[in-house]
Amino acid sequence: GESQPGDTPRSQWWRDAVVYQIYPRSFVDSDGNGVGDLRGIISKLDYLRWLGVDAIWISPFYPSPGADMGYDISDYTDVDPLFGDLQAFDDLVAAAHTRGLRVIVDIVANHTSDEHAWFVESRSAKTNAKRDWYWWRPARAGYQPGTPGAEPNNWASFFGGSAWSFDPETGEYYLHLFDRKQPDLNWENPEVRQALFEMMRWWKNRGVDGLRLDVINLVSKVPTLPGDDSGNGFKYYACGPRIHKYMAELRAGVAGSDTDFVLIGETPGVNPEQAVGFTDQQRGELDMIFAFQHVELGQENGKFDTRALLPGELADMLAYWQESLGDAGWIGLYLSNHDQPRQVSRFGDDSEQWRAHSAKTLALASMLQRGTAFVYQGEEIGMINANFASASELRDVESLNYLAQGGNLKGVQAAGRDNARTPMQWDSSPGAGFTAGTPWVAVPARGAHISVAEQRAAADSVLNFYRALVELRHREPAIGSGSYRRVATDTPAVYAYERELGEQRLRIIANLSDETAHTTLSDCESWQELLATEPIAKQNPLVLPPWSGVVLQRS
Ligand code: ISL
């Protein structure tokens, strides 16, 4: 936390850091058009410095038709006029660096928009020089091109339906693991990799301090693209045969010898062993990855069919990852982002009674584990799911496709991505302090009173608790550098672990339920409280009120 951009390079500055994720469309709108923008972000940098975070990660702001809200990029080296221009970006980087904040941009290199110049060329003719930059295949043998069942294989798109779309212009299909407007790039072609690395260096040269790499474990496919009899193709395109070669090339080609430049991989579907494979520092690939198993808990039949979690289920999964990694590898710690429901609604209790308590307790349970902590905008005030009651309020292609294919609104209310994409609530005015205009997605009626303005003034607010947690991460070396050890508890809903470094020993205890819990603390006198979500008496057994937690230090 002490190091600033411009200091003597200090490797692994990110270990004790907190990264704040900004979804720019929904953060601050500086010009009243209802869409957040880069100048809006600049206006809140002092707030972020007050909160104490080390870095910001900004979701895509590049020119885009917006089919996937900017994760479909049509020009990698510019700013969409919706969000501003390159001058605004340069001003943002300078203003962030002045305040000691690092800037991480979001690079979508698995696919482009179908409106990107590369794809426009590629689709124009089978003989085009860029034809091979994407995955083109003829119809399945014996089928009339463009008719049902003629897709080259049975791979499924993450957003529903086939991963192939037919292009009548040349009579072939192109692969898209996401929307049909997001064709997959062919990383097998070295020209593609060189073009992508050059683009990444372009952002580095503009002053950015690191990259969040979208679905980066999907860039190496088994080149023959085999059909998958018992699945959706995942095993042939996730962590494919050349993934480690590509990641090493990326590190060398983009970060070079700059040990401060951070590479964060978004890696759906990886297990702990694969996570270590990507992030082992000796191998020189990524610095950290995002795991998914904990956010996919309870998905019975896809993400829109999610059951309530059992007591201890989240704790067990978090502990499984921590224990499996041991002192190898590194992950980003998160419970939510722009693709997930709000963490209080998913893992906590978003009723008025327990909302603030569970927001604090979840943060405490997650953010002091071994890894780099991430805070998605709005989590620091305990924002809750929008629960939109009408399809007309939804904006996300994934949810809209799901409904169009017969899915039900309840599933979308529980798991839809719009839940996390509503305007950041700065105050409780009609535009939430986000916009003076009409927001691109509504400020939900439910929870509209939750705001930064209200919480900044209240000492016991969720916001001030986050601030204290961030400060604690920076202050206690055992958090950034210590070992992790799970501590058994009397109740499955209580998650307890220790972080240890040299003489320092911290114990984190969190009651992740709405029932009072008792937990035995041997040697009660030797523990001293560093932080708690609410006053907790020093006694043995410890009595933890519903949704409460404490950080203790052994003296
Ligand atoms: O959000 C998901 C399911 O609801 C995930 O499967 C998600 O699609 C996956 O994590 C990949 O996410 C990233 O790439 C997508 C984009 O839509 C997401 O916003 C992005 O975070 C395609 O670029």
Side-chain angles (χ1 to χ4, degrees):
E2 302 304 334
S3 89
Q4 309 280 314
D7 276 357
T8 329
R10 186 186 105 200
S11 176
Q12 306 194 352
W13 61 266
W14 32 262
R15 289 180 73 104
D16 70 353
V18 180
V19 180
Y20 187 91
Q21 184 193 351
I22 293 176
Y23 195 68
R25 198 173 291 257
S26 305
F27 194 56
V28 187
D29 170 20
S30 71
D31 58 11
N33 67 353
V35 178
D37 46 52
L38 298 182
R39 299 236 173 255
I41 298 175
I42 295 176
S43 73
K44 294 298 180 184
L45 292 175
D46 284 331
Y47 164 75
L48 296 173
R49 187 167 62 161
W50 171 82
L51 187 56
V53 301
D54 303 87
I56 54 175
W57 144 30
I58 315 171
S59 280
F61 49 78
Y62 322 103
S64 164
D68 189 19
M69 296 299 163
Y71 284 86
D72 50 320
I73 300 172
S74 51
D75 182 351
Y76 280 116
T77 51
D78 204 349
V79 172
D80 194 293
L82 261 183
F83 299 114
D85 53 22
L86 283 170
Q87 186 58 53
F89 183 79
D90 291 343
D91 292 349
L92 168 55
V93 171
H97 286 173
T98 303
R99 290 164 177 80
L101 287 164
R102 289 183 158 91
V103 177
I104 296 165
V105 297
D106 200 328
I107 299 288
V108 188
N110 175 69
H111 45 267
T112 65
S113 164
D114 65 340
E115 298 181 35
H116 192 289
W118 297 344
F119 189 74
V120 172
E121 268 196 60
S122 181
R123 88 186 316 171
S124 66
K126 286 185 187 171
T127 53
N128 185 274
K130 289 203 168 57
R131 184 65 167 182
D132 184 48
W133 281 40
Y134 295 83
W135 295 94
W136 291 98
R137 289 291 183 275
R140 192 178 299 214
Y143 284 80
Q144 179 65 30
T147 62
E151 293 81 18
N153 71 24
N154 67 344
W155 293 7
S157 155
F158 277 80
F159 293 158
S162 170
W164 294 96
S165 281
F166 181 64
D167 188 28
E169 229 169 297
T170 53
E172 287 191 328
Y173 290 80
Y174 64 90
L175 177 71
H176 54 87
L177 295 178
F178 294 90
D179 190 69
R180 58 185 306 147
K181 286 185 68 63
Q182 295 168 292
D184 279 51
L185 283 161
N186 175 16
W187 279 55
E188 295 297 301
N189 183 329
E191 286 173 25
V192 169
R193 304 201 297 279
Q194 287 324 309
L196 290 169
F197 300 160
E198 187 186 320
M199 169 274 285
M200 296 179 201
R201 281 195 303 270
W202 187 91
W203 285 105
K204 183 173 189 294
N205 293 338
R206 256 198 136 81
V208 313
D209 304 291
L211 310 176
R212 179 269 190 188
L213 299 160
D214 192 68
V215 293
I216 201 66
N217 62 321
L218 308 188
V219 301
S220 168
K221 282 93 173 159
V222 171
T224 52
L225 310 181
D228 184 358
D229 286 341
S230 55
N232 49 16
F234 193 79
K235 65 178 175 188
Y236 295 119
Y237 64 69
C239 298
R242 275 183 270 281
I243 191 67
H244 292 296
K245 167 179 146 74
Y246 295 163
M247 293 304 98
E249 272 184 31
L250 192 159
R251 152 86 45 198
V254 179
S257 59
D258 183 346
T259 56
D260 263 5
F261 195 73
V262 67
L263 295 174
I264 305 168
E266 192 217 19
T267 54
V270 297
N271 61 33
E273 196 185 331
Q274 291 167 321
V276 173
F278 281 118
T279 59
D280 176 55
Q281 290 283 309
Q282 306 306 319
R283 294 176 63 149
E285 299 182 21
L286 305 176
D287 293 305
M288 68 187 89
I289 59 97
F290 291 121
F292 274 70
Q293 282 184 289
H294 65 295
V295 293
E296 289 170 352
L297 281 170
Q299 292 186 1
E300 305 282 77
N301 187 21
K303 71 169 283 181
F304 292 114
D305 193 354
T306 309
R307 59 164 171 79
L309 298 186
L310 309 169
E313 213 175 349
L314 175 65
D316 287 350
M317 184 58 82
L318 295 177
Y320 164 72
W321 270 81
Q322 293 284 308
E323 288 174 338
S324 306
L325 294 179
D327 59 6
W330 198 257
I331 54 171
L333 305 168
Y334 76 104
L335 297 177
S336 72
N337 59 33
H338 66 294
D339 292 332
Q340 302 296 332
R342 286 291 179 181
Q343 64 195 48
V344 175
S345 301
R346 176 67 185 127
F347 299 112
D349 182 333
D350 67 8
S351 68
E352 233 353 85
Q353 187 180 8
W354 300 123
R355 182 189 65 81
H357 293 281
S358 63
K360 291 180 193 175
T361 307
L362 287 168
L364 177 140
S366 165
M367 288 172 66
L368 301 179
Q369 298 180 109
R370 182 175 169 278
T372 298
F374 284 76
V375 176
Y376 178 62
Q377 67 185 44
E379 295 298 346
E380 78 275 28
I381 53 172
M383 284 176 64
I384 60 179
N385 275 358
N387 271 15
F388 287 132
S390 146
S392 66
E393 293 177 289
L394 301 173
R395 299 288 179 269
D396 179 25
V397 59
E398 182 185 52
S399 296
L400 294 168
N401 283 355
Y402 174 73
L403 292 179
Q405 287 153 19
N408 69 22
L409 193 59
K410 266 205 149 50
V412 172
Q413 286 177 321
R417 304 194 298 185
D418 288 315
N419 280 315
R421 299 178 180 183
T422 62
M424 175 68 187
Q425 292 170 192
W426 298 102
D427 59 42
S428 50
S429 67
F434 160 74
T435 184
T438 307
W440 70 277
V441 59
V443 177
R446 189 170 171 264
H449 63 285
I450 301 167
S451 77
V452 170
E454 177 198 54
Q455 293 189 28
R456 214 169 148 157
D460 67 347
S461 63
V462 176
L463 180 59
N464 276 298
F465 185 78
Y466 264 83
R467 188 165 181 247
L469 259 181
V470 172
E471 198 266 332
L472 184 98
R473 270 191 72 92
H474 292 152
R475 181 165 36 98
E476 304 298 340
I479 305 297
S481 307
S483 62
Y484 166 97
R485 184 177 73 84
R486 188 176 191 181
V487 175
T489 56
D490 309 331
T491 319
V494 176
Y495 180 38
Y497 56 91
E498 287 190 352
R499 304 297 317 279
E500 193 171 351
L501 181 72
E503 296 292 288
Q504 193 191 20
R505 201 160 134 204
L506 303 179
R507 185 179 289 197
I508 292 87
I509 310 174
N511 177 7
L512 303 176
S513 79
D514 58 9
E515 282 167 31
T516 300
H518 299 253
T519 189
T520 318
L521 191 64
S522 59
D523 214 355
C524 188
E525 322 70 53
S526 60
W527 291 99
Q528 153 208 355
E529 180 185 302
L530 292 185
L531 182 67
T533 58
E534 63 183 278
I536 290 172
K538 190 170 175 178
Q539 57 184 315
N540 201 9
L542 213 57
V543 181
L544 292 166
W547 294 110
S548 71
V550 61
V551 183
L552 304 173
Q553 172 163 249
R554 198 174 184 103
S555 45

